[in-house]
Amino acid sequence: LGNYAQVLTQSLQGIFPTSQLCMPHFGLIVTLCLLPFIQLRSMHSLSGLAVVSAVTIFTPLALCVAAIVKHAPTPRPVVPSGVPAGTSFLDAMESFTGILFAYSGQSIYPNLLSEMRKPEEFAYSLSAAAPVLVGSYFVAAAVGVYYLGSGAPHFLMDVLEDEWMRQIGGWCLFLHMLISYTITSAVVSRAIHLWLDPVNANVTTGITPNVQWFFIALAVAMNSYIVSNVIPFFKDLTEIIGALNLGPISFGFPATLYIVHRLRARRKSSGISLKAMSRLDWSVCILLLFLCAYTVPIGLWADVTALIRDWHTFGGPFDCHRYSAEHRSGISKND
């Protein structure tokens, strides 16, 4: 959520690039804009926003691809192949945790399943949506690398040089991230509500449940605001989230839950023939657990090192950080 709040803030900065407001000021505006939306308490109440979310993410992607092609440098830079020369071990781990962040959207799937009227249709929905999403992001990334090489920005919206493109792309991204934040905030706020008051968490009418929800959602929003300003660089924040949270979500939890499920199912089979886990299953699960145990401490070390470097280069937590590609991404001379 801190990352979503940061992208929302940076989108507003891009829409108003000449504003004298600082990043923390834009962040407070974002928090105020979020307040009405984060009062929605269920996935069902948010389902109508899915179409808007899709339109408002594909539009900026199309604009970015068009801008890259239109303003491509001449001659075209050499496309990097393999590991760039001079890449250290910490640089590699830093990039790997960024990849983790990009491929961890499955963490929301259990919540979607739990609120579907026909959860058995989830697989069909995912099969239809995944190729479109992967294909769109692949095209944007491939065009960026082909035309810009290693000069492609960490924050893709920074390729929008024309003012009209920046305005349309900025507002679309702002709306998309507003919806994404609202969906994720509903999941987090409900988990906190269930922990604090399991009875009222399942009641949608009355003053007490909704007042509780308001303050829980507000506390989550303020926490996001703080995180986005303590780590005010898009690249650093995504990589730290990738190392700290998404290693376990992508590697550790799936392998652990699968092992526990198979062992429990075999124990409760009551004489019914149930195959034990194969060597391949064990090998894959052990590899995933190793990746989790490895990426969390090592990746976090690399990412925090990069963050400290960028604090010294561009300014620390809650500094002004006015609109610029360097401040938005966290790009130092060492990158």
Side-chain angles (χ1 to χ4, degrees):
L1 285 173
N3 178 259
Y4 290 166
Q6 187 180 89
V7 174
L8 282 164
T9 301
Q10 292 180 345
S11 297
L12 275 187
Q13 286 183 297
I15 294 169
F16 303 104
T18 59
S19 172
Q20 296 303 304
L21 293 178
C22 296
M23 184 175 176
H25 302 143
F26 275 111
L28 288 175
I29 294 173
V30 164
T31 304
L32 291 175
C33 291
L34 286 170
L35 278 179
F37 294 92
I38 58 179
Q39 303 313 311
L40 300 174
R41 296 179 56 178
S42 68
M43 292 293 170
H44 179 69
S45 62
L46 297 168
S47 58
L49 297 176
V51 176
V52 179
S53 178
V55 171
T56 53
I57 191 56
F58 289 132
T59 300
L61 281 176
L63 289 173
C64 287
V65 169
I68 290 171
V69 174
K70 178 180 178 181
H71 299 289
T74 304
R76 186 172 58 82
V78 177
V79 177
S81 59
V83 179
T87 300
S88 67
F89 172 74
L90 290 183
D91 292 334
M93 288 304 301
E94 188 184 344
S95 298
F96 181 70
T97 53
I99 294 172
L100 277 182
F101 181 88
Y103 286 91
S104 295
Q106 76 275 11
S107 59
I108 198 75
Y109 293 170
N111 302 93
L112 296 176
L113 274 166
S114 68
E115 295 205 24
M116 288 184 70
R117 291 195 180 99
K118 298 179 179 179
E120 64 275 7
E121 295 181 357
F122 177 76
Y124 301 110
S125 302
L126 182 62
S127 299
V132 177
L133 291 172
V134 173
S136 302
Y137 291 139
F138 174 79
V139 168
V143 169
V145 172
Y146 180 81
Y147 283 100
L148 302 177
S150 58
H154 293 94
F155 190 73
L156 189 60
M157 293 289 288
D158 288 329
V159 303
L160 300 178
E161 298 182 17
D162 297 339
E163 180 64 22
W164 69 272
M165 282 189 171
R166 188 184 301 115
Q167 289 292 320
I168 295 175
W171 280 114
C172 284
L173 183 62
F174 183 83
L175 289 174
H176 173 75
M177 295 309 301
L178 192 71
I179 296 169
S180 298
Y181 183 99
T182 302
I183 293 172
T184 309
S185 174
V187 173
V188 175
S189 298
R190 175 164 174 76
I192 296 173
H193 204 175
L194 283 168
W195 176 62
L196 293 175
D197 190 343
V199 175
N200 279 322
N202 293 309
V203 178
T204 57
T205 58
I207 296 176
T208 301
N210 287 294
V211 169
Q212 288 176 338
W213 180 271
F214 175 83
F215 284 106
I216 290 170
L218 178 61
V220 170
M222 291 308 300
N223 179 72
S224 303
Y225 169 77
I226 292 170
V227 169
S228 67
N229 282 279
V230 170
I231 309 174
F233 311 112
F234 174 78
K235 175 173 172 285
D236 293 334
L237 183 54
T238 55
E239 289 169 350
I240 287 175
I241 293 172
L244 191 60
N245 295 329
L246 304 179
I249 290 173
S250 298
F251 300 139
F253 294 163
T256 302
L257 293 174
Y258 180 74
I259 292 172
V260 171
H261 168 71
R262 290 300 300 267
L263 293 177
R264 283 183 175 178
R266 187 169 176 80
R267 195 177 300 122
K268 296 178 180 178
S269 58
S270 301
I272 301 174
S273 177
L274 183 65
K275 291 183 178 179
M277 286 180 62
S278 66
R279 290 183 178 179
L280 177 60
D281 287 342
W282 276 112
S283 299
V284 172
C285 287
I286 290 172
L287 174 62
L288 292 175
L289 290 171
F290 170 77
L291 285 173
C292 176
Y294 182 77
T295 55
V296 172
I298 304 299
L300 192 60
W301 173 35
D303 298 332
V304 171
T305 300
L307 172 62
I308 293 172
R309 181 187 67 204
D310 288 332
W311 275 342
H312 288 300
T313 305
F314 300 113
F318 287 93
D319 279 357
C320 189
H321 299 295
R322 285 201 177 94
Y323 177 86
S324 74
E326 290 78 11
H327 278 101
R328 288 150 69 88
S329 296
I331 308 169
S332 73
K333 295 178 181 178
N334 297 325
D335 283 337

